[in-house]
Amino acid sequence: MIDNGYYLRGNLSKVKGTTGWYRWWFPENLFNQYLSQINPKCKLMCKLRTMTINNNVYVCLYIGIAVGKGGLKKRLRNHLNGPFKNSTLRRTIRAILSQYSNVMIPAQTVDSVLDNCYCEYEYTTIQKARCVEKSELSQTNHCYPLNVQGNKTMPHEWIEELKKMRDALEIKC
């Protein structure tokens, strides 16, 4: 279990609008399905964080920070069901799910993916939040496959493939 964490499953009522960092935990039985949509040449060769919640295993695929107006509450709301332009996580999930589809994946599909996830978050200062994110995305103990910007935990080819998928999605729109 992670120290000082809070968990959320589609419920933002107790989240404050202050600065902090967060991690998204995806059900283990679904994460392979999502990540298998990424080019087979870019195999996932790193250690993922795992955690058991309510007797189910979850895998951490994304880390981020929330600074500025609205803080964590606004940032998590944007990830859960906000516009795609306000959430790189939502855009990345949509791009992955759209990879082999001839139709545009609707927002409700991305919503349902995130409704099955947990979000761990912690309130902190802007400086500490930035430090946590930078440290996590540059260390080698665990990787974050859905982060693009500043992510040194994944091979360059993986990051480039995610960028191509997101760019292709923008062209489809």
Side-chain angles (χ1 to χ4, degrees):
M1 202 65 148
I2 296 190
D3 296 335
N4 302 320
Y6 301 92
Y7 301 100
L8 146 86
R9 192 174 180 136
N11 181 359
L12 294 173
S13 63
K14 295 183 181 179
V15 180
K16 297 177 187 174
T18 60
T19 301
W21 61 266
Y22 55 90
R23 289 188 186 114
W24 280 94
W25 297 84
F26 291 73
E28 183 182 46
N29 62 342
L30 295 178
F31 94 92
N32 279 325
Q33 176 186 337
Y34 308 142
L35 298 185
S36 69
Q37 300 298 311
I38 298 173
N39 189 330
K41 293 184 289 184
C42 301
K43 291 291 183 206
L44 186 62
M45 303 294 283
C46 59
K47 185 176 179 181
L48 295 164
R49 289 180 182 273
T50 60
M51 178 171 41
T52 301
I53 304 171
N54 297 330
N55 296 318
N56 295 305
V57 177
Y58 286 78
V59 181
C60 185
L61 301 180
Y62 187 84
I63 187 170
I65 62 173
V67 297
K69 189 176 180 182
L72 279 166
K73 187 169 206 135
K74 181 177 180 182
R75 191 77 188 120
L76 297 181
R77 182 180 300 119
N78 282 333
H79 285 323
L80 279 169
N81 57 15
F84 287 105
K85 67 179 182 165
N86 293 344
S87 170
T88 56
L89 177 61
R90 287 179 68 74
R91 283 196 308 272
T92 300
I93 292 169
R94 188 180 200 191
I96 290 169
L97 297 176
S98 297
Q99 183 66 15
Y100 298 106
S101 174
N102 291 330
V103 297
M104 184 57 62
I105 298 298
Q108 294 82 1
T109 302
V110 176
D111 295 349
S112 68
V113 167
L114 291 167
D115 285 345
N116 287 297
C117 297
Y118 279 86
C119 182
E120 165 198 7
Y121 60 95
E122 185 175 324
Y123 305 115
T124 187
T125 64
I126 292 172
Q127 182 179 6
K128 171 82 186 229
R130 288 185 174 138
C131 183
V132 167
E133 181 184 48
K134 183 177 180 182
S135 172
E136 290 289 310
L137 290 175
S138 62
Q139 53 95 11
T140 56
N141 295 334
H142 297 96
C143 63
Y144 296 92
L146 300 185
N147 282 86
V148 173
Q149 186 175 350
N151 190 352
K152 295 180 180 27
T153 68
M154 298 299 297
H156 175 74
E157 297 80 18
W158 182 277
I159 301 299
E160 289 305 309
E161 184 66 19
L162 279 181
K163 286 178 181 179
K164 276 193 244 176
M165 292 169 70
R166 288 188 356 193
D167 289 347
L169 182 65
E170 289 177 16
I171 292 169
K172 282 184 186 179
C173 295

